[in-house]
Short mmCIF file of all heavy atoms in Angstrom, two decimals:
data_model
loop_
_atom_site.label_atom_id
_atom_site.label_comp_id
_atom_site.label_asym_id
_atom_site.label_seq_id
_atom_site.Cartn_x
_atom_site.Cartn_y
_atom_site.Cartn_z
N ASP A 1 0.81 -1.22 -0.01
CA ASP A 1 0.01 0.00 0.01
C ASP A 1 0.84 1.27 0.00
O ASP A 1 0.29 2.37 0.01
CB ASP A 1 -0.94 0.01 1.21
CG ASP A 1 -1.95 -1.13 1.19
OD1 ASP A 1 -2.26 -1.60 0.07
OD2 ASP A 1 -2.44 -1.53 2.24
N ILE A 2 2.18 1.10 0.02
CA ILE A 2 3.07 2.27 0.07
C ILE A 2 4.04 2.18 -1.09
O ILE A 2 4.63 1.14 -1.35
CB ILE A 2 3.84 2.32 1.41
CG1 ILE A 2 2.84 2.38 2.57
CG2 ILE A 2 4.78 3.52 1.45
CD1 ILE A 2 3.48 2.31 3.93
N GLU A 3 4.26 3.28 -1.80
CA GLU A 3 5.05 3.26 -3.02
C GLU A 3 6.56 3.21 -2.77
O GLU A 3 7.30 2.66 -3.56
CB GLU A 3 4.72 4.48 -3.88
CG GLU A 3 3.28 4.49 -4.42
CD GLU A 3 3.00 5.67 -5.31
OE1 GLU A 3 3.93 6.51 -5.48
OE2 GLU A 3 1.88 5.80 -5.82
N TYR A 4 7.02 3.80 -1.67
CA TYR A 4 8.46 3.92 -1.45
C TYR A 4 8.98 2.83 -0.51
O TYR A 4 8.21 2.15 0.19
CB TYR A 4 8.80 5.30 -0.84
CG TYR A 4 7.98 5.66 0.36
CD1 TYR A 4 8.37 5.23 1.65
CD2 TYR A 4 6.82 6.43 0.25
CE1 TYR A 4 7.64 5.57 2.77
CE2 TYR A 4 6.07 6.77 1.38
CZ TYR A 4 6.50 6.32 2.63
OH TYR A 4 5.75 6.65 3.72
N ASP A 5 10.32 2.63 -0.54
CA ASP A 5 10.96 1.66 0.34
C ASP A 5 10.86 2.10 1.81
O ASP A 5 10.86 3.30 2.10
CB ASP A 5 12.43 1.49 -0.03
CG ASP A 5 12.61 0.83 -1.37
OD1 ASP A 5 11.65 0.22 -1.88
OD2 ASP A 5 13.73 0.91 -1.94
N ILE A 6 10.79 1.11 2.69
CA ILE A 6 10.70 1.39 4.13
C ILE A 6 11.90 0.75 4.80
O ILE A 6 12.26 -0.40 4.50
CB ILE A 6 9.40 0.82 4.71
CG1 ILE A 6 8.18 1.40 4.00
CG2 ILE A 6 9.32 1.14 6.20
CD1 ILE A 6 6.87 0.75 4.40
N GLU A 7 12.54 1.48 5.69
CA GLU A 7 13.67 0.96 6.45
C GLU A 7 13.22 0.69 7.90
O GLU A 7 12.46 1.47 8.48
CB GLU A 7 14.83 1.95 6.48
CG GLU A 7 15.58 2.06 5.18
CD GLU A 7 16.81 2.93 5.29
OE1 GLU A 7 17.21 3.24 6.45
OE2 GLU A 7 17.36 3.35 4.25
N LYS A 8 13.67 -0.43 8.43
CA LYS A 8 13.40 -0.74 9.83
C LYS A 8 14.70 -1.15 10.52
O LYS A 8 15.38 -2.11 10.08
CB LYS A 8 12.39 -1.90 9.91
CG LYS A 8 12.02 -2.27 11.35
CD LYS A 8 11.23 -1.13 12.00
CE LYS A 8 10.84 -1.49 13.42
NZ LYS A 8 10.02 -0.44 14.07
N THR A 9 15.07 -0.44 11.55
CA THR A 9 16.27 -0.75 12.32
C THR A 9 15.93 -1.61 13.54
O THR A 9 15.02 -1.24 14.31
CB THR A 9 16.97 0.53 12.76
OG1 THR A 9 17.36 1.28 11.59
CG2 THR A 9 18.23 0.21 13.58
N ILE A 10 16.61 -2.70 13.68
CA ILE A 10 16.40 -3.60 14.83
C ILE A 10 17.68 -3.56 15.67
O ILE A 10 18.76 -3.92 15.21
CB ILE A 10 16.13 -5.04 14.34
CG1 ILE A 10 14.83 -5.08 13.50
CG2 ILE A 10 16.01 -5.99 15.51
CD1 ILE A 10 14.55 -6.40 12.85
N VAL A 11 17.55 -3.13 16.90
CA VAL A 11 18.69 -2.97 17.80
C VAL A 11 18.94 -4.29 18.51
O VAL A 11 18.01 -4.95 19.00
CB VAL A 11 18.44 -1.85 18.82
CG1 VAL A 11 19.60 -1.74 19.80
CG2 VAL A 11 18.21 -0.53 18.11
N PHE A 12 20.22 -4.70 18.56
CA PHE A 12 20.59 -5.89 19.28
C PHE A 12 20.73 -5.56 20.76
O PHE A 12 21.51 -4.67 21.13
CB PHE A 12 21.91 -6.47 18.76
CG PHE A 12 21.84 -6.92 17.35
CD1 PHE A 12 22.73 -6.39 16.39
CD2 PHE A 12 20.92 -7.86 16.93
CE1 PHE A 12 22.68 -6.82 15.08
CE2 PHE A 12 20.87 -8.29 15.60
CZ PHE A 12 21.74 -7.76 14.67
N ASP A 13 20.01 -6.27 21.61
CA ASP A 13 20.06 -6.04 23.06
C ASP A 13 20.26 -7.38 23.77
O ASP A 13 19.32 -8.15 23.89
CB ASP A 13 18.79 -5.37 23.52
CG ASP A 13 18.85 -5.01 25.00
OD1 ASP A 13 19.97 -4.92 25.55
OD2 ASP A 13 17.76 -4.82 25.60
N PRO A 14 21.48 -7.65 24.21
CA PRO A 14 22.69 -6.84 24.16
C PRO A 14 23.32 -6.88 22.75
O PRO A 14 22.91 -7.67 21.93
CB PRO A 14 23.60 -7.53 25.19
CG PRO A 14 23.17 -8.95 25.14
CD PRO A 14 21.70 -8.94 24.93
N PRO A 15 24.32 -6.02 22.54
CA PRO A 15 24.97 -6.01 21.23
C PRO A 15 25.66 -7.33 20.91
O PRO A 15 25.95 -8.13 21.80
CB PRO A 15 26.00 -4.86 21.37
CG PRO A 15 25.49 -4.03 22.48
CD PRO A 15 24.81 -4.97 23.44
N LEU A 16 25.86 -7.56 19.63
CA LEU A 16 26.61 -8.75 19.20
C LEU A 16 28.04 -8.64 19.70
O LEU A 16 28.67 -7.59 19.57
CB LEU A 16 26.60 -8.88 17.68
CG LEU A 16 25.23 -9.10 17.01
CD1 LEU A 16 25.43 -9.14 15.50
CD2 LEU A 16 24.59 -10.39 17.49
N GLU A 17 28.54 -9.73 20.27
CA GLU A 17 29.89 -9.72 20.81
C GLU A 17 30.68 -10.91 20.30
O GLU A 17 30.12 -11.88 19.81
CB GLU A 17 29.86 -9.73 22.34
CG GLU A 17 29.20 -8.47 22.96
CD GLU A 17 29.15 -8.55 24.47
OE1 GLU A 17 29.49 -9.64 25.02
OE2 GLU A 17 28.80 -7.55 25.11
N GLY A 18 32.01 -10.86 20.51
CA GLY A 18 32.86 -11.94 20.13
C GLY A 18 33.18 -11.96 18.65
O GLY A 18 32.96 -10.97 17.93
N ASP A 19 33.74 -13.06 18.19
CA ASP A 19 34.13 -13.15 16.80
C ASP A 19 32.91 -13.41 15.91
O ASP A 19 31.77 -13.46 16.38
CB ASP A 19 35.17 -14.26 16.60
CG ASP A 19 34.65 -15.63 17.09
OD1 ASP A 19 33.44 -15.82 17.18
OD2 ASP A 19 35.50 -16.50 17.35
N ARG A 20 33.18 -13.57 14.61
CA ARG A 20 32.06 -13.70 13.66
C ARG A 20 31.26 -14.98 13.89
O ARG A 20 30.04 -14.98 13.76
CB ARG A 20 32.62 -13.68 12.23
CG ARG A 20 31.52 -13.51 11.20
CD ARG A 20 32.08 -13.40 9.80
NE ARG A 20 32.60 -14.66 9.31
CZ ARG A 20 33.04 -14.84 8.07
NH1 ARG A 20 33.08 -13.83 7.24
NH2 ARG A 20 33.48 -16.02 7.69
N ASP A 21 31.92 -16.07 14.29
CA ASP A 21 31.22 -17.31 14.54
C ASP A 21 30.20 -17.18 15.70
O ASP A 21 29.09 -17.69 15.61
CB ASP A 21 32.20 -18.43 14.86
CG ASP A 21 33.01 -18.85 13.64
OD1 ASP A 21 32.54 -18.58 12.51
OD2 ASP A 21 34.11 -19.45 13.81
N LYS A 22 30.62 -16.49 16.76
CA LYS A 22 29.71 -16.28 17.88
C LYS A 22 28.54 -15.39 17.45
O LYS A 22 27.40 -15.63 17.87
CB LYS A 22 30.46 -15.64 19.07
CG LYS A 22 31.44 -16.59 19.76
CD LYS A 22 32.08 -15.92 20.95
CE LYS A 22 33.03 -16.89 21.65
NZ LYS A 22 33.69 -16.25 22.84
N ALA A 23 28.81 -14.38 16.65
CA ALA A 23 27.75 -13.51 16.18
C ALA A 23 26.77 -14.28 15.31
O ALA A 23 25.55 -14.14 15.47
CB ALA A 23 28.35 -12.36 15.37
N TRP A 24 27.27 -15.14 14.40
CA TRP A 24 26.40 -15.94 13.57
C TRP A 24 25.60 -16.91 14.41
O TRP A 24 24.42 -17.17 14.13
CB TRP A 24 27.22 -16.70 12.52
CG TRP A 24 27.58 -15.90 11.32
CD1 TRP A 24 28.80 -15.43 10.97
CD2 TRP A 24 26.68 -15.41 10.33
NE1 TRP A 24 28.72 -14.73 9.80
CE2 TRP A 24 27.44 -14.68 9.39
CE3 TRP A 24 25.30 -15.50 10.14
CZ2 TRP A 24 26.87 -14.07 8.27
CZ3 TRP A 24 24.73 -14.91 9.03
CH2 TRP A 24 25.51 -14.18 8.12
N GLY A 25 26.20 -17.48 15.45
CA GLY A 25 25.51 -18.38 16.31
C GLY A 25 24.32 -17.72 16.99
O GLY A 25 23.23 -18.29 17.09
N ARG A 26 24.50 -16.48 17.42
CA ARG A 26 23.40 -15.75 18.07
C ARG A 26 22.32 -15.42 17.05
O ARG A 26 21.12 -15.52 17.34
CB ARG A 26 23.93 -14.47 18.72
CG ARG A 26 22.83 -13.70 19.41
CD ARG A 26 23.34 -12.52 20.16
NE ARG A 26 22.24 -11.64 20.57
CZ ARG A 26 22.42 -10.42 21.03
NH1 ARG A 26 23.65 -9.94 21.19
NH2 ARG A 26 21.38 -9.67 21.35
N LEU A 27 22.72 -15.02 15.85
CA LEU A 27 21.73 -14.72 14.81
C LEU A 27 20.90 -15.97 14.45
O LEU A 27 19.68 -15.85 14.24
CB LEU A 27 22.43 -14.17 13.55
CG LEU A 27 23.00 -12.77 13.65
CD1 LEU A 27 23.79 -12.45 12.40
CD2 LEU A 27 21.87 -11.75 13.85
N ARG A 28 21.55 -17.11 14.42
CA ARG A 28 20.80 -18.34 14.14
C ARG A 28 19.80 -18.63 15.24
O ARG A 28 18.67 -19.04 14.98
CB ARG A 28 21.77 -19.50 13.97
CG ARG A 28 22.49 -19.50 12.61
CD ARG A 28 23.19 -20.82 12.36
NE ARG A 28 24.28 -21.06 13.29
CZ ARG A 28 25.54 -20.74 13.06
NH1 ARG A 28 25.87 -20.17 11.89
NH2 ARG A 28 26.49 -20.98 13.94
N ARG A 29 20.20 -18.41 16.50
CA ARG A 29 19.27 -18.65 17.62
C ARG A 29 18.11 -17.67 17.54
O ARG A 29 16.97 -18.05 17.77
CB ARG A 29 20.01 -18.52 18.95
CG ARG A 29 20.99 -19.64 19.24
CD ARG A 29 21.45 -19.61 20.68
NE ARG A 29 22.17 -18.38 21.01
CZ ARG A 29 23.47 -18.22 20.84
NH1 ARG A 29 24.22 -19.20 20.33
NH2 ARG A 29 24.05 -17.09 21.17
N MET A 30 18.41 -16.42 17.21
CA MET A 30 17.34 -15.42 17.08
C MET A 30 16.38 -15.80 15.94
O MET A 30 15.17 -15.65 16.08
CB MET A 30 17.97 -14.03 16.79
CG MET A 30 18.68 -13.41 17.96
SD MET A 30 19.50 -11.85 17.50
CE MET A 30 18.06 -10.84 17.00
N ALA A 31 16.94 -16.33 14.85
CA ALA A 31 16.10 -16.72 13.71
C ALA A 31 15.16 -17.85 14.09
O ALA A 31 13.98 -17.85 13.75
CB ALA A 31 16.99 -17.12 12.53
N ARG A 32 15.66 -18.84 14.84
CA ARG A 32 14.84 -19.98 15.23
C ARG A 32 13.76 -19.53 16.22
O ARG A 32 12.62 -20.00 16.15
CB ARG A 32 15.70 -21.07 15.84
CG ARG A 32 16.66 -21.70 14.81
CD ARG A 32 17.29 -22.95 15.34
NE ARG A 32 18.22 -23.51 14.38
CZ ARG A 32 18.45 -24.81 14.20
NH1 ARG A 32 17.78 -25.67 14.91
NH2 ARG A 32 19.32 -25.24 13.31
N GLU A 33 14.13 -18.65 17.13
CA GLU A 33 13.16 -18.16 18.11
C GLU A 33 12.06 -17.34 17.40
O GLU A 33 10.89 -17.49 17.74
CB GLU A 33 13.87 -17.30 19.16
CG GLU A 33 14.76 -18.10 20.10
CD GLU A 33 15.61 -17.20 20.98
OE1 GLU A 33 15.46 -15.95 20.90
OE2 GLU A 33 16.44 -17.73 21.75
N ALA A 34 12.46 -16.51 16.44
CA ALA A 34 11.48 -15.73 15.72
C ALA A 34 10.54 -16.60 14.90
O ALA A 34 9.33 -16.37 14.87
CB ALA A 34 12.21 -14.72 14.81
N ALA A 35 11.08 -17.62 14.26
CA ALA A 35 10.24 -18.54 13.47
C ALA A 35 9.26 -19.27 14.38
O ALA A 35 8.08 -19.45 14.03
CB ALA A 35 11.11 -19.52 12.71
N ALA A 36 9.73 -19.70 15.55
CA ALA A 36 8.88 -20.42 16.48
C ALA A 36 7.74 -19.53 16.97
O ALA A 36 6.60 -19.98 17.13
CB ALA A 36 9.70 -20.92 17.67
N LYS A 37 8.01 -18.26 17.20
CA LYS A 37 6.98 -17.34 17.63
C LYS A 37 5.92 -17.11 16.55
O LYS A 37 4.76 -16.81 16.86
CB LYS A 37 7.59 -16.00 18.05
CG LYS A 37 8.38 -16.09 19.34
CD LYS A 37 8.97 -14.73 19.72
CE LYS A 37 9.74 -14.83 21.02
NZ LYS A 37 10.37 -13.52 21.43
N ARG A 38 6.32 -17.26 15.31
CA ARG A 38 5.37 -17.13 14.19
C ARG A 38 4.76 -18.45 13.81
O ARG A 38 3.97 -18.54 12.88
CB ARG A 38 6.08 -16.52 12.98
CG ARG A 38 6.63 -15.13 13.18
CD ARG A 38 7.20 -14.57 11.88
NE ARG A 38 6.13 -14.30 10.94
CZ ARG A 38 6.31 -14.12 9.63
NH1 ARG A 38 7.51 -14.22 9.12
NH2 ARG A 38 5.28 -13.87 8.84
N HIS A 39 5.13 -19.51 14.53
CA HIS A 39 4.63 -20.86 14.30
C HIS A 39 4.95 -21.31 12.87
O HIS A 39 4.12 -21.88 12.15
CB HIS A 39 3.11 -20.93 14.53
CG HIS A 39 2.70 -20.46 15.87
ND1 HIS A 39 2.96 -21.17 17.05
CD2 HIS A 39 2.06 -19.33 16.28
CE1 HIS A 39 2.50 -20.50 18.08
NE2 HIS A 39 1.95 -19.40 17.65
N LEU A 40 6.21 -21.07 12.47
CA LEU A 40 6.69 -21.42 11.14
C LEU A 40 8.04 -22.12 11.29
O LEU A 40 8.71 -22.02 12.32
CB LEU A 40 6.86 -20.18 10.27
CG LEU A 40 5.58 -19.41 9.91
CD1 LEU A 40 5.94 -18.09 9.23
CD2 LEU A 40 4.69 -20.23 8.99
N ALA A 41 8.42 -22.84 10.25
CA ALA A 41 9.75 -23.47 10.23
C ALA A 41 10.82 -22.40 10.07
O ALA A 41 10.56 -21.31 9.53
CB ALA A 41 9.84 -24.46 9.08
#
């Protein structure tokens, strides 16, 4: 319903820490938790 692009900033609380592997591990956990809350795979 809107013609232009929309930006949404999501703040990490707490911030991502450690090396890239640890950051990816947290993102994967967040992804699974978010999917579960939406009752999706």
Side-chain angles (χ1 to χ4, degrees):
D1 296 336
I2 301 175
E3 294 182 359
Y4 51 85
D5 292 343
I6 303 172
E7 287 187 14
K8 181 67 180 183
T9 298
I10 299 173
V11 177
F12 296 123
D13 185 20
L16 296 177
E17 296 178 352
D19 57 21
R20 193 175 72 174
D21 289 340
K22 290 183 178 179
W24 277 112
R26 181 175 167 192
L27 288 173
R28 284 193 293 267
R29 290 192 298 272
M30 290 175 62
R32 295 191 181 214
E33 291 171 3
K37 289 180 179 179
R38 298 185 69 196
H39 305 290
L40 295 170

